[in-house]
Amino acid sequence: MTGSLALVTGATGYIGGRLVPELLSAGYRVRAMARRPERLDGRDWRDDVEVVAADASSAVELRAAMAGVDVAYYLIHSLGTGPEFEQRDRATARTFAVAAREAGVGRIVYLGGLHPASERLSPHLDSRREVGEILLAGGVPTTVLQAAVIIGSGSASFEMMRYLTERLPAMVAPRWIDNRIQPIAVRDVLRYLVGSAAMPPEVSRAFDIGGPEVLTYRQMMQRYAAVAGLPARVIRAVPVLTPRLASLWVGLVTPVPSGLARPLVGSLVHEVVAKEQDIAAYVPDPPEGLVGFDRAVELALAKVRDLDVRTSWASAATPGAPSDPLPEDPDWAGGSLQVDERTAVVDADAAALWTVIEGIGGAHGWYSWRLGWIARGVMDRLFGGPGLRRGRRDPHRLAVGDPLDWWRVETIEPGRLLRLRAEMRLPGLAWLELAAEQDDAGRTVFRQRAVYHPRGLLGQAYWWAVWPFHGVVFGGMQRNIARAAEAAARDPGRAARTAPPGGAG
């Protein structure tokens, strides 16, 4: 079926962003679907695919996106998006199934969750099961792939295990840390996804997929430690840690927010082992066999070390984060705006200033009141937000859609403008703009603008509560970024060490 047209939903997410180049390599034409297509602009494959703007909950937009499609990948779920996620998942799956049938799509491929047949499932795992059943009943031949823990750089499950193991040489854990799990390497997941597109039309069913080993979570952590060169971890199981308490602990120790950790932890309550290997009849194992756990960890850590993590769990927008466009017009109909705007002339060229701007956040910090940023990050984590632990995908380069601590890159004009949208928990919408400009006299001007749209009385109260700290936070940021740019301009060696590879882009 090479040459066929594949629609990839969730193309900005962890699996979707990796599936697109695999489909291209297999000879498929690809149409990538996203609510905000500009978030795909930084992908290496952007110019090789057709991009369509559509919301999976809109039947009209879906039918247009599915025109002429041979196989549609459903990679959408509401992991960690609040108490109504089950209804949202159910409605979106039904809309997708109907649209695919009406558009004449040849096959739907869905990546769901591996689950036991006779247990009461966690809400998120049960929702994944239900979505698969809805798609199978929709009248279009459907492949439902059911996987447990996915091991790969940037995977939420992998990052949770990685940080727990690296940061805690000794820990207490829930008793179900000794439940059996069949992890699978992300490259095997992608191989199954690509291979499923060519299944015969009479095949419409769910398949369990897993790696070659069945391990407990305790064994996975100990094996990770060994591969990473760490001493064996001391792990004590206790009966008092509920999934909720465990997810809060994960949210404090790892970059994965507690809202996202809760469904991941909840799925570990169950033993998730493949009950059949029927997928091999349609997608045979590679000659070298499936990727084992240790090898999957080695591959993932190599990607992390080489700064080659193309997608991650944070690639998708944080649940509950604002998605409204930036109010460019001061008379924006959305309501009043609060603005903190500062400008400064910098004794450096615009390229040096841009190098500092594009390198902000993550390990480089925010050039401001460090204790204040840390305290605000901890507070955000306690309320289920991303805090400061998401860091950066790359220490030097940014692209639209990249997570950046509690911000997300909304707009980037290389060499000139960086606009960040806040994804922290707060009663309103917030943006931060950093710009390198030149005035009429040829001087470099650093423009910094914080924009806040308060939501209700609480939003107004929040703005005035933090307003006294603006001079310290935003004033300090402006001064320190300007000084860093001037230092880089005076020390070309320093500029070379900190500049992004290949220039400012």
Side-chain angles (χ1 to χ4, degrees):
M1 290 185 63
T2 54
S4 300
L5 179 59
L7 174 71
V8 178
T9 64
T12 60
Y14 174 68
I15 292 293
R18 297 191 180 206
L19 177 61
V20 169
E22 297 296 324
L23 287 168
L24 291 171
S25 297
Y28 287 88
R29 294 178 295 124
V30 176
R31 180 179 294 160
M33 183 180 115
R35 282 182 297 177
R36 298 182 59 211
E38 67 272 13
R39 288 187 55 197
L40 299 175
D41 289 348
R43 305 299 175 95
D44 295 341
W45 40 261
R46 173 61 180 83
D47 294 336
D48 300 321
V49 305
E50 177 189 354
V51 174
V52 59
D55 190 320
S57 63
S58 168
V60 173
E61 294 179 7
L62 275 178
R63 281 194 293 269
M66 289 179 175
V69 166
D70 297 292
V71 55
Y73 286 89
Y74 190 82
L75 303 174
I76 301 167
H77 57 89
S78 303
L79 192 65
T81 56
E84 298 180 354
F85 75 92
E86 293 167 288
Q87 296 94 317
R88 189 181 305 112
D89 275 349
R90 188 179 301 122
T92 304
R94 287 172 177 161
T95 302
F96 192 89
V98 170
R101 185 177 66 246
E102 293 177 348
V105 171
R107 175 168 296 277
I108 295 172
V109 180
Y110 168 60
L111 179 61
L114 191 59
H115 59 272
S118 58
E119 295 182 22
R120 182 177 179 180
L121 303 178
S122 67
H124 281 85
L125 201 52
D126 192 51
S127 181
R128 303 291 288 275
R129 175 200 58 77
E130 184 183 19
V131 166
E133 292 179 352
I134 290 171
L135 296 176
L136 284 166
V140 175
T142 297
T143 302
V144 175
L145 301 177
Q146 300 178 150
V149 173
I150 296 176
I151 305 299
S153 59
S155 155
S157 298
F158 175 75
E159 293 300 314
M160 186 172 78
M161 178 183 64
R162 171 190 168 200
Y163 279 95
L164 284 173
T165 307
E166 290 184 353
R167 292 180 173 177
L168 299 175
M171 69 193 84
V172 294
R175 59 187 175 187
W176 29 265
I177 196 172
D178 292 315
N179 286 351
R180 297 189 308 151
I181 303 167
Q182 192 164 354
I184 183 170
V186 66
R187 60 179 56 196
D188 282 329
V189 172
L190 295 171
R191 188 174 53 81
Y192 285 133
L193 285 168
V194 173
S196 295
M199 284 186 177
E202 65 272 16
V203 177
S204 186
R205 54 163 289 188
F207 295 91
D208 292 350
I209 59 173
E213 300 171 89
V214 175
L215 305 167
T216 66
Y217 204 81
R218 183 198 299 268
Q219 290 171 326
M220 288 167 58
M221 294 180 73
Q222 296 291 17
R223 294 267 290 268
Y224 175 92
V227 173
L230 302 171
R233 278 18 208 165
V234 177
I235 305 173
R236 295 287 180 264
V238 296
V240 294
L241 274 180
T242 65
R244 177 175 176 79
L245 288 175
S247 64
L248 291 173
W249 175 242
V250 169
L252 289 173
V253 174
T254 81
V256 180
S258 57
L260 179 57
R262 190 171 300 122
L264 297 176
V265 170
S267 66
L268 298 176
V269 174
H270 311 285
E271 288 204 340
V272 280
V273 178
K275 298 175 288 294
E276 40 81 11
Q277 291 82 39
D278 298 350
I279 188 72
Y282 304 98
V283 187
D285 293 348
E288 66 277 13
L290 300 175
V291 180
F293 178 82
D294 290 357
R295 178 59 178 156
V297 171
E298 290 173 357
L299 293 168
L301 290 179
K303 292 286 187 181
V304 172
R305 285 193 298 268
D306 295 342
L307 304 177
D308 192 26
V309 181
R310 303 297 177 87
T311 64
S312 77
W313 61 271
S315 299
T318 295
S323 57
D324 307 77
L326 175 71
E328 301 284 5
D329 191 328
D331 298 322
W332 182 48
S336 62
L337 295 176
Q338 304 288 358
V339 179
D340 183 295
E341 188 164 9
R342 301 165 188 266
T343 59
V345 175
V346 180
D347 186 17
D349 58 26
L353 175 58
W354 178 253
T355 296
V356 178
I357 290 174
E358 194 177 16
I360 201 168
H364 296 161
W366 289 89
Y367 295 90
S368 186
W369 182 28
R370 179 174 173 79
L371 182 59
W373 281 84
I374 292 174
R376 184 62 179 88
V378 170
M379 185 185 306
D380 192 52
R381 299 285 294 184
L382 291 174
F383 284 93
L388 293 174
R389 290 183 178 162
R390 287 194 307 190
R392 299 172 50 108
R393 179 183 59 85
D394 184 285
H396 303 297
R397 295 177 294 178
L398 292 174
V400 171
D402 274 0
L404 185 58
D405 292 327
W406 63 51
W407 307 91
R408 187 171 297 275
V409 179
E410 181 166 271
T411 302
I412 186 166
E413 298 176 18
R416 198 190 78 80
L417 172 68
L418 174 64
R419 178 183 297 143
L420 306 174
R421 179 191 293 274
E423 291 187 340
M424 70 182 83
R425 302 297 189 191
L426 76 172
L429 310 175
W431 297 264
L432 176 63
E433 289 183 348
L434 306 173
E437 300 173 349
Q438 278 195 327
D439 63 12
D440 293 338
R443 299 177 301 177
T444 299
V445 176
F446 174 36
R447 182 173 63 83
Q448 176 181 293
R449 186 168 78 127
V451 180
Y452 177 65
H453 172 55
R455 185 182 295 118
L457 183 61
L458 182 61
Q460 292 284 358
Y462 175 84
W463 171 263
W464 293 112
V466 300
W467 181 80
F469 301 100
H470 283 192
V472 178
V473 175
F474 294 123
M477 177 185 292
Q478 184 190 49
R479 290 190 298 274
N480 292 329
I481 287 177
R483 289 169 182 165
E486 291 168 351
R490 290 193 301 269
D491 181 359
R494 173 175 178 169
R497 290 191 299 273
T498 57

